[in-house]
Amino acid sequence: MRTLLKDVKTMVWKDIVAEARNKEMVTSILTFAILILVIFNFALRLTPQIILELAPGILWITFIFSGLLGLTRLFVVEQENNTIHGLLLSPVSRENIYVSKAISTFLFMFVSEIIVIPLFSILFNVSLFNLLIFAVIILTTIGFASIGTFFSAIATNTKSREIMMPMLFVPIVVPIIIAAVISTGIVIQGGGWDDIYKWVQLIVVFDILSVVFSMLAFEQTLQE
Amino acid sequence: MQSSGSPAIQIDGLTKSYGTYDVLHGLSMLVNWGEVVSIFGPNGSGKSTLIKILATLSPASSGKIWINGLDSQEYSHHVRRNIGVITHDMMLYGHLTGLENLLFYGTLFHIQNVERRIIEVSESLNISSFLNKRVDTMSHGMRKRISLARSILHDPPILLLDEPDAGIDQIALDILGNLTMSSKGKRTIVMTTHNIEIGFSLSSRIAIISNGAISYIQESSSKTVDEFKSDYKSFTGVTN
Amino acid sequence: MISSRINFRLLLHLTTFLVMLYVLYLIFLSVPTDKNLGISQRIFYFHVPLAWSGFLCFFIVLIGSIGYLWKKSLICDRLAHASSEIGVLFITLMLMSGVLWAKPVWGVWWTWDPRLTTSLILWLIYVAYLMLRAYSSNRQQGAKYAALLGIAGFIDVPIVYLSIYWWRTVHPQPLVGPATSGGGLDPSMQTALMISTLAFTLVLISLLVERMSLFRDQYALETHVASIKS
């Protein structure tokens, strides 16, 4: 257990240091997110009356598509010098490689989302500063990052990463997209914990299943 | 680390198939402690595949491999501590410095006193002067040397080198030669190469892979380079 | 050996053909027209069996995927691959017949009903499954990745259904569910539905047998060509 934590910490730290130097992941997610928000502003006539109705949808479309951009490029870093082989040649277990990658992914996606939220609130005049919304965002991002890391490992090894990643990812995460959009909407409209309880439960079940499945199956994505 | 009695590497009936096509077919081989074995073979003969399987990067379709007496499929964790691997991939993170890369890998191998070990290895490979440069700003030769340091950081008794001489500068080549020479008798080395002169001069035994198995294996002291070149031609049908 | 295999296949296809012929007779000539829905209700006899056999296909994909990952059995891989193709075909037809039926009965081409929507998501997952095989760098890799998706997709479907079901209760839509549910069916209609389900299951098996043997021949040929080249 202690070596597990130590190995995971070492690998996550390496990802964070590399990201802090090149800022590739967070910047690409973030700029893409801002572009989506701007397009929404022009595509929909967002009057104060309907913004409350549409805000959850706009928010989550932004998170999903900008997040996908990051997920698609997840293992590109490890491919450049074939450092993935370096990881595989170390005595670290494959599960730990998955866990560390999923944690790094979660951190990068979450940091980008944290920056998008105030932007969103300013641009569309809707306050998203609510602990329940944060909880929903964190739990849903765990789901995105855990299954997304798994599919990214698969998509990276195919001939067309850009096509395969959304095709693999989007249909599978439909349940948590629905749960996230609806519970965000309920909270924006003034609902409380009791109203979103069952949706949060659904997201948690999905997260657990996706983490367990990915940990068990991750090794299979690496072997040649 | 070496358990007495068992050879460094024992390969028994190794087969690797991609779909229904066998790259390696019933390959068997024994490597004793302290030997340097060079494996030659034409492109696509399965040299790199063999190294990958020995390195536990790729599973065998059938057959068994024991490294230091351990079944390499079952005890892959332990096996990885016993081997150092060099391929044409550097396996270094460009955005990190040489030192950070070595620290990273050293920590993953749970090396005691990583810093001291890094200083030791850096001095022997003469890389201390650029250890604090970011890898993506280094020259190819520098990177190759950092990569060499990475592969021997955990002091593995067995080294697997897949075309280590491909695309490296003279300094790195000298260091590689020194490493192989100074390791003679201390480290067991299995390497693949296209360069018959280099491979021949560095190794104690020479082998040829053809048709997915070892078709030729000899003591290098029993041959001259030219004799071996003509042997190579008759065994593979190509002059390399 | 060879002749008995051909005989088995011939017998299977003949049975499928005869049962299908009988079903067509039942659907178009024998079963009474529904009082409320009229002639369009007859689509029902295709729609429901297609859905059933489509879902069965994806269950077979699951079995094949587990078998392939566990035992590395190439037959399991061919089973999963063939079954996924047939499943996508059946669900495509099922969605199309649903659209044709919805227009005259519900007044809209499409409704985001839980069953219909789940089928659509399911269809997308298995289209991704086929794409994964097509875009993989070699067949072994494709087989392994597809098997992983075959399992993940199957685990996901109940959660998809639940989430869409709950979502519908939050955003109710004007028209809900099939206009006639099982209870109001004439006994002869029920019989026709059951025999039609049997017929489509037989079509599924027939296609599966043929497709798997085609895959086997194709791979054998490819191996042969590869061995000549090398």
Side-chain angles (χ1 to χ4, degrees), chain A residues 3 7 10-11 14 17 21-22 78 81-83 85-94 223-224, chain B residues 16 52 55-59 77 80-81 85 89 91-93 95-96 100 104-105 107-110 134:
Chain A
T3 60
D7 289 346
T10 310
M11 287 185 279
K14 177 264 299 172
V17 171
R21 301 231 172 109
N22 66 6
E78 302 288 350
N81 276 312
N82 219 349
T83 48
H85 276 177
L87 293 180
L88 296 176
L89 284 169
S90 72
V92 176
S93 75
R94 273 59 177 149
Q223 288 173 357
E224 285 163 43
Chain B
K16 175 72 182 181
K52 264 191 180 167
T56 72
L57 284 176
S58 176
H77 285 63
R80 277 181 225 128
R81 286 180 197 279
V85 182
D89 297 314
M91 306 180 203
L92 299 173
Y93 292 93
H95 296 290
L96 305 184
E100 284 166 336
F104 173 65
Y105 283 115
T107 317
L108 289 189
F109 274 97
H110 302 159
R134 265 170 62 162

Side-chain angles (χ1 to χ4, degrees), chain B residues 95-149:
Chain B
H95 296 290
L96 305 184
T97 66
L99 182 63
E100 284 166 336
N101 269 289
L102 295 181
L103 272 173
F104 173 65
Y105 283 115
T107 317
L108 289 189
F109 274 97
H110 302 159
I111 296 172
Q112 306 290 317
N113 280 325
V114 191
E115 288 87 354
R116 210 170 62 197
R117 176 68 189 152
I118 291 176
I119 293 171
E120 217 175 280
V121 172
S122 313
E123 277 167 3
S124 74
L125 293 178
N126 209 359
I127 56 173
S128 314
S129 57
F130 52 86
L131 213 47
N132 281 316
K133 272 175 84 123
R134 265 170 62 162
V135 168
D136 51 10
T137 65
M138 288 182 190
S139 74
H140 195 77
M142 289 174 174
R143 287 184 208 180
K144 197 77 194 180
R145 284 190 275 169
I146 301 276
S147 188
L148 277 175

Side-chain angles (χ1 to χ4, degrees), chain B residues 16-21 61, chain C residues 74 138 140 219 223 226 230:
Chain B
K16 175 72 182 181
S17 41
Y18 288 106
T20 41
Y21 171 67
S61 306
Chain C
L74 294 176
N138 59 59
Q140 262 193 322
Y219 299 164
T223 312
S230 68

